[in-house]
Structures are given as structure tokens and as C-alpha cells.
Amino acid sequence: MQADAGALPFADGSFDLACSAYGALPFVADPVQVLREVRRVLRPGGRFVFSVTHPIRWAFPDEPGPEGLSVAASYFDRTPYVEQDEQGRAVYVEHHRTLGDRVRDVVAAGLRLVDLVEPEWPAWNSQEWGGWSPLRGNLIPGTAIFVCVRDQ
């Protein structure tokens, strides 16, 4: 099923659990609307677990080697990252939010944050992927996982 994350096609209180792995939240200008929709479809006591690229990543260049370890931009610059096609139309947009922004979004949507997980780079992983490598992954987190609950 495909749906607008800001207008989910489900009845109120339909789910005990909702998950989003790098899904809609980084790609919408109004994440609170999406979070409110998730809250709406959760039953009281239901959980919403979502992951996003860790916000600190935005301050560093997308390079797996030593050149990716120096801050290149302000962590607080919330200018969206936009890729355009040949006609200048946006084909990919990702919105940067700080950790504080994400926490405030969760609270504004009426959810309670019960955990924020920042997974460490696994010792067994020696691969490079995009801008990530053991060098970089051992110094800064690549992922932020938010565990939220609908209390009422």
C-alpha cells in the first residue's frame, strides 16, 4: 500500500506498533503532522519506533576517510538538501532537524519519548558504505532511533 504519511488511510487506534526505518520523517517539511497521524492510528500504550540519519552527520562531509572527520557545515543549518533534475525540478529533498528539533516534534505530536538509541559501529563491520567506514563510524553515530509511546 502507498499512502501520504501526513494522512494515513487507517482508523483511529488501529495499531499497537508503528515503525519507520529512514522513512517519511526526513523527507517532509512538517514532521509534526506525520507524527500526529502516527499517534492517531496508535492505540493508547502503542509504540512508534523510527530511525533517521543521525543529525550530527549533516555537519560532516559525506566521505568515509579522514577528510570526512572535519566539520564542514553548521549542525544548526536547517536548509534542506535538494537534488534537481535537468529542468530544475526537485527530485529529492531531505530536511535536516537537530536532535532537539526531533524531540520537540515528538512532544508536540502528543507522543512521549521513552528512548533515543544511537547505535555504535559494530566491531565486526570493516566495510565502507557511502560516507561511512569503521574510521568514521567509531567516532560519530550514523543513526538515531527514537522510541515513542502514545500514553492516552
Side-chain angles (χ1 to χ4, degrees), residues 31-40 42-46 48 102-113 148-152:
V32 174
Q33 173 60 34
V34 172
L35 291 165
R36 284 184 179 138
E37 270 298 281
V38 172
R39 182 189 181 281
R40 181 186 67 76
L42 285 174
R43 293 182 183 102
F48 178 44
R102 292 270 178 223
V103 169
R104 285 185 292 280
D105 291 347
V106 165
V107 172
L111 295 165
R112 180 170 49 94
L113 182 67
C148 311
V149 172
R150 176 186 172 172
D151 285 328
Q152 44 181 325

